[in-house]
Amino acid sequence: MADTVTLLLIAAAGMSTALGGISIVAIRRLTHRMHDTILGLGAGIMLGVSVFDLLLQLGEHSSEDWLLIAAGIVTGAAVITLLIVLIRKMPLPMPFVKNPTTVTTGAAFLLFIALLIHNLPEGLATGIGYGHGPTTFGNTIALSIAFQNVPEGLLVAVAVLAETGSKRAGFGYAVLSGAVEPAAGYIAYFTLSISPATVGVISGFAAGAMLAVVFFQMMPESHRHGYRVPATAALAAGVLLVVAMNLMLGQISF
Ligand SMILES: [Zn+2]
């Protein structure tokens, strides 16, 4: 049965982008170096969550369904890749291109869409983590996701602010980019509560989708301005952070 605490925790993890969004009150601009570092960190945390939490720990619990997990990984990666390719081909509305001095107009909306898609598997992961209620395992995933949502919300807010000159729009789009997380989280949570046997395939799907987002979208974007070294260092830090969190919360032992 769905309990309110679990549902609230899923919402809170996803909506932490709002915390990043509200930070534009203090931080109005980000250097390219900072932008690339934030993306690297987010990518590292996603890699950590997909490998250590979704695949290693859940895969262990459903060892007989390895074929289903594999099918989930392939499907998740394919669906996300297709989604990104299709969206890049679509003529997108650029709702807030108002500032003619911006170097690349429309970049903010593209970043918003990119982070929106990227938040789908993060929401799924949170919902899967809380599949058995507010457990330590669930908290480990939710904390990891919430942690990187803050700077990612700030990325969206700063980009939108640069194009519109409106802090309110910046904050609004940061919140909106995170809103897909609780939605995806609830889909995963309720699917698992109806049919617990789907845990392998859903975990595989979320992990595959995360890996696709990381390799197809975040890594190239984080290298675009030439700050590969700080982006790579941040990626390693992100993976380490997830491992450390799992160790501290007693989820894994070496
Ligand atoms: Zn993220």
Side-chain angles (χ1 to χ4, degrees), residues 42-43 46 115 118-119 122 145 148-149 152 181 218:
M46 291 174 83
L115 282 168
H118 139 165
N119 282 338
E122 291 186 0
I145 299 290
Q148 45 96 58
N149 274 342
E152 285 173 0
E181 278 196 26
M218 297 179 84

Side-chain angles (χ1 to χ4, degrees), residues 21-110:
I22 200 82
S23 319
I24 42 165
V25 177
I27 307 163
R28 292 187 56 108
R29 289 185 136 274
L30 286 174
T31 58
H32 280 321
R33 176 191 286 269
M34 199 59 206
H35 173 99
D36 297 354
T37 307
I38 290 175
L39 283 176
L41 180 74
I45 291 180
M46 291 174 83
L47 276 180
V49 166
S50 52
V51 174
F52 284 97
D53 295 322
L54 294 176
L55 294 180
L56 263 174
Q57 295 189 55
L58 288 173
E60 193 181 354
H61 293 301
S62 51
S63 48
E64 64 275 23
D65 315 308
W66 62 270
L67 206 63
L68 279 178
I69 298 173
I73 295 174
V74 174
T75 318
V79 166
I80 285 289
T81 307
L82 198 70
L83 209 59
I84 298 171
V85 169
L86 284 179
I87 283 195
R88 282 188 187 164
K89 287 209 160 118
M90 244 163 33
L92 291 171
M94 295 299 168
F96 33 68
V97 182
K98 286 187 186 130
N99 184 353
T101 60
T102 321
V103 190
T104 12
T105 45
F109 191 67
L110 287 176

Side-chain angles (χ1 to χ4, degrees), residues 141-183:
I141 295 186
L143 273 175
S144 311
I145 299 290
F147 183 80
Q148 45 96 58
N149 274 342
V150 179
E152 285 173 0
L154 180 65
L155 280 188
V156 174
V158 165
V160 173
L161 173 66
E163 281 190 18
T164 58
S166 159
K167 283 184 183 172
R168 194 179 300 180
F171 175 68
Y173 277 92
V175 172
L176 209 61
S177 74
V180 297
E181 278 196 26

